[in-house]
């Protein structure tokens, strides 16, 4: 009689039962965490459907050391171990698994041990050796040893849901990362960096992280370091923010990615799109490396439809940059909370003042600015004194304004441009609030009205919306993402001016 005939359930059924128990234990542990503790340690517990998906992305050797850093109640480590045990039982092979875990919150250690005990029970039912597990506290103090010259990597696999928390750049960890590897603005990137340093050549990492690391200057050095370490060969993007960490009310858009250390970048990158981690992917395709990790661009693109891919290709083929058009982009220079004493709901009776443009001064989907002295309860008449007049104002003219914080939906897209003309605003000088991105002429020049209208029409196009969705999952429109778009020629843009009788496609 073989080993499997000693049990009445299949390995997959036994695994499913164990995973349910682990999920219940994890949910109980999550429910006991106070709001203060959750905020202090940036704790967002991985749902079991996500854990199962992440574990399925790993090719775990029969003899493997697994790392889970920021382990929480151990749901990721338990799922990897359980899946590997079930696979070994199904194929009739043996396994020798070790889990090294770190969790800073000792209130979760009991739940972690209970979950590992459940995996030990699963191993016994499957007639597999019980995995060896170790649990330590704070992972951060390990960083100096990991980054020390001569450190010997030991992990075969790492699976991470790291803490989502800003990394203060004055800390010892931030200084160490800057000097030994790459600066990282957030703890989640620091944990990924350290886990990769622990991987053996050929080792794999699967992590669920905010998509923010894919673009923006803050993560530029980290992305450069990551590319030098190996290959990103699989990215899972979720359509809706709210469906991943719904139990913790997290609206950040997250991605899951797989990384292989010290191997050449894969020529094809697998890209999957899910509406919900409990459902089968809506899309599962292999995309050319240059469409995800182009050699001439440090950002990571995640196109998840043929329409997005085609829009990306069309945009890259356009001839002009903003600089070629004589246009620059900047963020509005007035932070209203810093100038409360200078803001009035009506023009002051005496003294110089300037109209302040808020993102509330135009509607989503409309390209017409309708300034008023007060909008949404915010005073918009800026009295000019102190440093305001010299540093934060612009001359009247033609500008294109964008809402810096925008909605992430398919109805109106992400870019909401409006055109500012000399007739829109009173005064000899103007001001833009910090939640407004402004496209205007480079110093010493003017932006022609028909060109401003054409640029607004181009930025409102479905192609630009699709391109930006491949770059960023945040609701923020970054200046650098607009700067690095390609634009049609001035002549083609002018033909896009809605006032023109000769509108043509930008391509």
């Amino acid at each position: 009689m073989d080993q499997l005939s000693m049990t009445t359930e299949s390995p997959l059924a036994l695994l499913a039962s164990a995973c349910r128990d682990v999920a219940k234990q994890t949910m109980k542990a999550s429910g006991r965490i106070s709001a203060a503790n959750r905020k202090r340690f940036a704790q967002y517990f991985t749902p079991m459907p996500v854990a199962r998906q992440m574990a399925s992305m790993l090719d775990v050797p029969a003899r493997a050391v697994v790392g889970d850093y920021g382990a929480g109640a151990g749901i990721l480590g338990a799922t990897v171990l359980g899946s590997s045990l079930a696979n070994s039982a199904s194929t009739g092979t043996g396994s020798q698994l070790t889990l090294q875990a770190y969790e800073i919150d000792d209130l979760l250690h009991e739940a972690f041990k209970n979950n590992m005990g459940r995996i030990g029970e699963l191993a016994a039912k499957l007639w597999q050796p019980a995995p060896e597990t170790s649990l330590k506290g704070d992972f951060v103090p390990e960083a100096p040893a990991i980054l020390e010259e001569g450190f010997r990597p030991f992990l075969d696999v790492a699976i991470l849901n790291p803490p989502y928390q800003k990394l203060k750049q004055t800390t010892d960890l931030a200084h160490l990362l800057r000097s030994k590897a790459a600066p990282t603005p957030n703890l989640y990137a620091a944990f990924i960096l350290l886990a990769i340093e622990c991987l053996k050549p050929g080792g794999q990492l699967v992590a669920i992280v905010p998509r923010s690391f894919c673009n923006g200057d803050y993560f530029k050095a980290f992305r450069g370091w990551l590319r030098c370490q190996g290959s990103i060969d699989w990215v899972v993007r979720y359509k809706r923010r709210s469906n991943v960490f719904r139990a913790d009310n997290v609206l950040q858009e997250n991605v899951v990615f797989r990384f292989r250390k010290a191997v050449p970048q894969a020529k094809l990158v697998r890209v999957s799109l899910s509406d919900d981690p409990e459902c089968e992917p809506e899309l599962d395709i292999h995309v050319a490396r240059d469409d995800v990790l182009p050699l001439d661009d440090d950002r990571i693109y995640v196109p998840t439809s043929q329409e997005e891919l085609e829009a990306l290709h069309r945009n890259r083929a356009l001839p002009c940059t903003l600089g070629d058009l004589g246009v620059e982009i900047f963020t509005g220079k007035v932070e209203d909370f810093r100038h409360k004493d200078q803001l009035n709901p009506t023009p002051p009776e005496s003294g110089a003042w300037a109209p302040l443009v808020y993102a509330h001064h135009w509607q989503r989907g409309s390209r017409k600015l309708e300034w008023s002295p007060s909008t949404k309860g915010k005073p918009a008449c800026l009295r000019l004194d102190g440093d305001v007049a010299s540093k934060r104002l612009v001359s009247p003219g033609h500008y294109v304004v964008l809402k810096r914080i925008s909605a992430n939906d398919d109805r109106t897209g992400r870019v909401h441009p409006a055109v500012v003309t000399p007739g829109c605003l009173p005064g000899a000088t103007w001001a833009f609030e910090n939640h407004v991105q402004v496209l205007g002429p480079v110093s010493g020049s003017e932006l022609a009205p028909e060109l401003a209208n054409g640029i607004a029409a181009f930025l409102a196009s479905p192609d630009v919306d699709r391109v930006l969705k491949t770059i960023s999952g945040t609701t923020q429109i970054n200046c650098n993402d607009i700067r690095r778009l390609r634009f049609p020629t001035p002549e083609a843009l002018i033909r896009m001016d809605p006032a023109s009788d000769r509108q043509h496609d930008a391509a």
Side-chain angles (χ1 to χ4, degrees):
M1 181 177 293
D2 61 32
Q3 292 175 343
L4 289 181
S5 65
M6 301 283 289
T7 66
T8 59
E9 296 182 89
S10 70
L12 288 180
L14 290 169
L15 172 64
S17 175
C19 285
R20 285 192 295 270
D21 292 344
V22 168
K24 289 177 183 177
Q25 182 70 229
T26 301
M27 287 183 66
K28 288 180 181 178
S30 176
R32 290 194 293 266
I33 298 298
S34 68
N37 235 39
R38 194 179 297 275
K39 182 177 180 180
R40 178 187 175 193
F41 295 128
Q43 294 168 322
Y44 303 104
F45 289 75
T46 313
M48 178 52 75
V50 177
R52 292 288 296 268
Q53 183 176 38
M54 291 173 67
S56 72
M57 295 169 69
L58 290 165
D59 302 318
V60 183
R63 296 168 59 91
V65 179
V66 180
D68 183 0
Y69 304 147
I75 191 169
L76 286 176
T79 305
V80 170
L81 295 179
S83 300
S84 298
L85 289 168
N87 182 65
S88 294
S90 297
T91 57
T93 58
S95 63
Q96 187 173 338
L97 303 172
T98 301
L99 175 67
Q100 183 194 71
Y102 284 81
E103 173 49 52
I104 191 172
D105 187 355
D106 55 14
L107 295 177
L108 295 172
H109 287 194
E110 181 181 357
F112 177 93
K113 292 173 182 175
N114 289 339
N115 280 336
M116 292 307 124
R118 184 65 181 86
I119 296 303
E121 294 171 5
L122 173 65
K125 291 179 180 178
L126 294 173
W127 293 82
Q128 293 289 319
E132 296 181 12
T133 62
S134 68
L135 176 63
K136 298 179 182 178
D138 191 359
F139 181 51
V140 169
E142 303 296 326
I146 292 170
L147 295 174
E148 189 70 37
E149 188 174 350
F151 173 76
R152 297 185 64 180
F154 59 92
L155 288 183
D156 297 288
V157 165
I159 188 163
L160 269 66
N161 174 5
Y164 301 176
Q165 191 175 70
K166 286 184 178 179
L167 176 58
K168 293 182 179 178
Q169 295 304 297
T170 55
T171 61
D172 290 343
L173 177 60
H175 286 300
L176 181 68
L177 293 171
R178 278 199 301 273
S179 62
K180 297 283 190 178
T184 58
N186 197 292
L187 266 180
Y188 79 75
F191 271 54
I192 289 171
L193 187 154
L194 294 170
I196 288 173
E197 290 284 2
C198 292
L199 284 177
K200 298 176 183 176
Q204 307 155 61
L205 172 140
V206 167
I208 182 165
V209 291
R211 196 176 160 200
S212 54
F213 84 97
C214 293
N215 73 317
D217 285 347
Y218 290 130
F219 287 91
K220 183 175 181 179
F222 171 71
R223 289 194 300 272
W225 178 89
L226 191 62
R227 287 196 186 198
C228 292
Q229 303 305 309
S231 172
I232 295 174
D233 61 7
W234 194 349
V235 182
V236 178
R237 185 173 123 191
Y238 293 104
K239 279 178 68 176
R240 290 188 285 183
R241 293 176 174 84
S242 57
N243 281 348
V244 181
F245 292 106
R246 61 167 67 91
D248 292 318
N249 196 30
V250 174
L251 298 182
Q252 170 69 260
E253 184 170 332
N254 293 275
V255 294
V256 175
F257 75 98
R258 183 174 72 187
F259 175 88
R260 294 182 187 269
K261 184 176 179 180
V263 300
Q265 174 57 49
K267 293 181 180 179
L268 293 175
V269 179
R270 186 173 176 181
V271 178
S272 306
L273 177 69
S274 290
D275 185 45
D276 189 299
E278 297 191 62
C279 301
E280 288 294 317
E282 291 186 14
L283 185 77
D284 196 15
I285 59 175
H286 286 82
V287 179
R289 167 249 167 88
D290 288 343
D291 288 327
V292 179
L293 298 154
L295 294 175
D296 60 349
D297 191 338
D298 65 86
R299 294 173 296 182
I300 300 171
Y301 294 77
V302 192
T304 52
S305 71
Q306 190 62 32
E307 290 80 8
E308 287 183 0
L309 264 178
E310 290 172 359
L312 200 55
H313 292 161
R314 282 193 295 269
N315 187 262
R316 288 172 178 170
L318 292 175
C320 294
T321 64
L322 271 184
D324 295 331
L325 301 174
V327 175
E328 63 182 1
I329 184 170
F330 60 91
T331 301
K333 297 177 182 178
V334 174
E335 295 171 300
D336 59 353
F337 68 91
R338 298 185 188 276
H339 298 276
K340 289 181 179 180
D341 294 341
Q342 295 164 254
L343 287 168
N344 301 293
T346 58
E349 295 182 0
S350 62
W353 69 280
L356 178 62
V357 175
Y358 281 95
H360 299 306
H361 278 124
W362 73 99
Q363 299 299 315
R364 292 170 59 189
S366 169
R367 293 184 214 153
K368 184 179 180 182
L369 185 84
E370 296 180 350
W371 186 82
S372 57
S374 178
T375 176
K376 301 288 186 179
K378 291 179 175 288
C381 300
L382 181 66
R383 193 176 69 253
L384 302 183
D385 54 37
D387 69 344
V388 173
S390 61
K391 295 182 179 179
R392 307 188 189 280
L393 304 180
V394 302
S395 300
H398 288 85
Y399 298 88
V400 178
V401 289
L402 312 175
K403 294 177 184 286
R404 184 165 69 85
I405 306 298
S406 185
N408 181 36
D409 61 44
D410 293 329
R411 182 172 60 86
T412 56
R414 295 190 182 186
V415 183
H416 304 286
V419 178
V420 185
T421 69
C424 286
L425 301 170
T429 53
W430 300 343
F432 294 98
E433 199 269 334
N434 189 247
H435 289 82
V436 177
Q437 306 288 31
V438 186
L439 291 94
V442 297
S443 179
S445 63
E446 294 184 1
L447 183 58
E450 61 271 21
L451 184 57
N453 286 326
I455 290 173
F458 173 72
L459 290 174
S461 68
D463 262 13
V464 169
D465 183 56
R466 292 180 185 122
V467 169
L468 290 176
K469 284 179 179 176
T470 71
I471 298 169
S472 172
T474 72
T475 57
Q476 180 162 304
I477 300 297
N478 294 321
C479 283
N480 273 343
D481 289 338
I482 301 298
R483 282 190 194 103
R484 292 163 82 170
L485 285 173
R486 304 293 298 182
F487 287 78
T489 64
E491 294 78 14
L493 286 167
I494 289 170
R495 290 197 296 271
M496 297 183 73
D497 180 352
S500 171
D501 292 329
R502 299 175 294 114
Q503 297 182 43
H504 299 282
D505 189 273

